[in-house]
């Protein structure tokens, strides 16, 4: 979906919202999941984010990319969701299982296992590092976009991203992701 198409939208129509959900729905859900580590919370948060988009009287002003704008809304929804009394309870986080058909080729199975192991390492990182690493690696956001989205200074984004990469590399080699904060 091209950025120019969404230059400025004051209020989204149901058709435009549907188009946004088709184009960005999975990314919004994935981002909500990376922030919370819970699939059920990601379902609620991504739904709430798109409801906010639909109900927004100001809409999209085109000051950032549509993806960055949607991620900012998703991020705010996730933080609000976590602040509620229900969310403050300690709830064990389980591992997300892949759904669908099992791979037929051994090479594909090994590849999937490798990818799963990488994501497990990423998901064990503290939230402040995990978020920036995901925005960089998965969504290929620029430092400026990450700074705008998180409200952090670019220097802070750079240093946290560097620490996130170092911690992920250490964890991959067998160390703890919580060492050397």
């Amino acid at each position: 979906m091209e950025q120019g198409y969404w230059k400025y939208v004051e209020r989204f129509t149901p058709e435009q919202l549907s188009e946004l959900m088709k184009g960005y729905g999975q990314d919004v859900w994935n981002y909500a999941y990376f922030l919370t580590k819970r699939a059920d919370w990601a379902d609620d948060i991504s739904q709430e984010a798109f409801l906010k988009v639909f109900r927004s009287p100001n809409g999209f002003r085109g000051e950032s990319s549509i993806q960055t704008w949607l991620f900012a809304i998703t991020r705010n929804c996730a933080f609000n969701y976590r602040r509620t009394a229900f969310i403050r309870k300690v709830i064990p986080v389980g591992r997300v299982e892949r759904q669908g058909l099992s791979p037929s080729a051994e090479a594909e199975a090994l590849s999937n296992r490798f990818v799963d192991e990488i994501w497990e390492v990423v998901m064990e990182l503290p939230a402040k590092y995990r978020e920036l690493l995901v925005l960089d690696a998965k969504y290929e956001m620029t430092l400026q976009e990450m700074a705008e989205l998180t409200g952090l200074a670019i220097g802070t984004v750079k240093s946290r991203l560097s620490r996130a990469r170092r911690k992920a590399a250490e964890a991959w080699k067998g160390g703890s992701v919580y060492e050397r904060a």
Side-chain angles (χ1 to χ4, degrees):
M1 201 175 300
E2 293 182 24
Q3 176 63 28
Y5 179 77
W6 299 106
K7 284 208 188 261
Y8 175 82
V9 179
E10 189 170 314
R11 189 178 271 292
F12 287 93
T13 65
E15 294 78 23
Q16 289 171 318
L17 181 66
S18 177
E19 193 173 333
L20 277 177
M21 291 173 72
K22 286 177 187 169
Y24 296 98
Q26 189 63 51
D27 287 341
V28 165
W29 187 92
N30 289 342
Y31 185 54
Y33 177 77
F34 290 128
L35 291 173
T36 63
K37 293 185 176 183
R38 294 284 308 257
D40 54 337
W41 293 1
D43 291 340
D44 294 343
I45 291 165
S46 57
Q47 180 178 0
E48 180 64 25
F50 281 110
L51 283 173
K52 284 185 185 260
V53 166
F54 185 67
R55 293 178 183 151
S56 174
N58 299 329
F60 177 65
R61 296 187 302 263
E63 296 170 356
S64 63
S65 72
I66 194 82
Q67 183 182 48
T68 301
W69 179 70
L70 287 170
F71 280 8
I73 293 169
T74 304
R75 186 174 195 264
N76 291 335
C77 288
F79 290 157
N80 289 338
Y81 196 85
R82 288 193 303 202
R83 282 188 201 118
T84 64
F86 174 74
I87 302 305
R88 289 186 193 140
K89 295 178 184 176
V90 177
I91 301 172
V93 177
R95 185 169 187 260
V96 175
E97 298 294 329
R98 290 181 168 244
Q99 295 180 358
L101 301 175
S102 56
S104 58
E106 184 178 331
E108 187 176 343
L110 290 174
S111 174
N112 287 342
R113 182 173 167 212
F114 180 71
V115 170
D116 286 346
E117 288 173 6
I118 291 172
W119 282 115
E120 284 178 19
V121 167
V122 171
M123 294 306 290
E124 289 176 13
L125 291 171
K128 68 182 184 179
Y129 300 126
R130 181 179 65 238
E131 178 181 17
L132 294 175
L133 192 59
V134 168
L135 291 174
D136 177 56
K138 174 128 177 76
Y139 298 106
E140 300 176 349
M141 286 189 161
T142 65
L143 292 173
Q144 181 65 38
E145 288 174 324
M146 287 187 274
E148 289 172 12
L149 177 62
T150 61
L152 298 170
I154 291 181
T156 304
V157 170
K158 280 183 182 179
S159 64
R160 283 190 185 174
L161 190 55
S162 175
R163 285 187 197 117
R165 289 176 180 145
R166 187 185 75 235
K167 287 179 175 296
E170 289 170 358
W172 185 254
K173 293 176 188 173
S176 171
V177 295
Y178 293 100
E179 295 172 358
R180 288 186 245 136

